[in-house]
Amino acid sequence: MNRSVACSGRHVLDIAEQLCRGRGVRLTPQRRRVLEILCDSSKPMGAYDILERMQGQVASAKPPTVYRALEFLLGQGLAHRIESLNAYVSCIHPEHPHASQFLICRECGEVRELESRRVDQTLESALKACGFQADSQMVEVTGRCLRCSGGRSV
Ligand SMILES: [Zn+2]
Ligand SMILES: [Zn+2]
């Protein structure tokens, strides 16, 4: 799935508005703008890339503005942090809590979000078997996407 397709029609932003309203939290214009920037990008964006993009419109935008907005978006499950890249993506299905796996293409830089319950459950039971209490878990796989490896889409 293409991220820009998932984000098209302001679908993600509409869902974000609804979710926030339902939870009684505010998707302020700045938070919304950061989410919008993430949605518009086909690649994960670092905080400073986001800031640069914002400063075009909001001259007063400062690093804390972006970090606070990102913290909010992560907390609400509207965005994810790609640890290995120290960058952020918007979530493609924020309606429900989920553990994601990320496929990172090292050629084109595109990141695809997967939500495999099986991977999640397998990891969960493996952790349980070790008696390990996980705070967070990231599954990030680097490689080449279908397009970059010359494969054909089904
Ligand atoms: Zn997600
Ligand atoms: Zn690629």
Side-chain angles (χ1 to χ4, degrees):
M1 196 192 330
N2 187 321
R3 292 187 50 77
S4 54
V5 168
C7 286
S8 72
R10 315 187 80 70
H11 172 70
V12 169
L13 288 166
D14 288 344
I15 292 175
E17 291 275 8
Q18 278 170 23
L19 283 176
C20 288
R21 208 172 305 133
R23 292 170 185 166
V25 293
R26 253 172 42 84
L27 188 66
T28 60
Q30 280 167 343
R31 292 167 175 171
R32 192 189 157 88
R33 185 67 199 118
V34 170
L35 183 59
E36 210 169 10
I37 289 169
L38 290 178
C39 277
D40 285 345
S41 169
S42 63
K43 289 167 194 167
M45 291 188 81
Y48 278 84
D49 301 326
I50 298 170
L51 181 64
E52 222 167 82
R53 194 83 50 104
M54 262 183 113
Q55 279 171 335
Q57 295 126 339
V58 189
S60 61
K62 295 273 179 319
T65 321
V66 173
Y67 281 113
R68 275 198 299 261
L70 284 170
E71 208 174 300
F72 172 84
L73 296 174
L74 293 176
Q76 296 298 322
L78 298 171
H80 297 294
R81 190 178 132 91
I82 309 295
E83 298 289 330
S84 59
L85 301 175
N86 191 17
Y88 303 84
V89 293
S90 61
C91 177
I92 54 168
H93 34 52
E95 310 83 20
H96 58 277
H98 56 273
S100 306
Q101 301 86 36
F102 295 97
L103 309 185
I104 304 164
C105 178
R106 60 184 152 78
E107 304 246 329
C108 70
E110 202 173 86
V111 169
R112 177 172 165 178
E113 179 178 355
L114 286 185
E115 187 192 351
S116 164
R117 278 298 292 153
R118 273 173 70 189
V119 171
D120 192 33
Q121 281 162 353
T122 305
L123 189 57
E124 222 164 82
S125 56
L127 291 172
K128 207 180 239 173
C130 298
F132 190 84
Q133 305 258 324
D135 290 332
S136 62
Q137 52 129 314
M138 337 280 157
V139 178
E140 299 179 3
V141 182
T142 50
R144 291 194 300 162
C145 73
L146 186 69
R147 208 176 40 226
C148 292
S149 63
R152 223 168 293 160
S153 190
V154 268

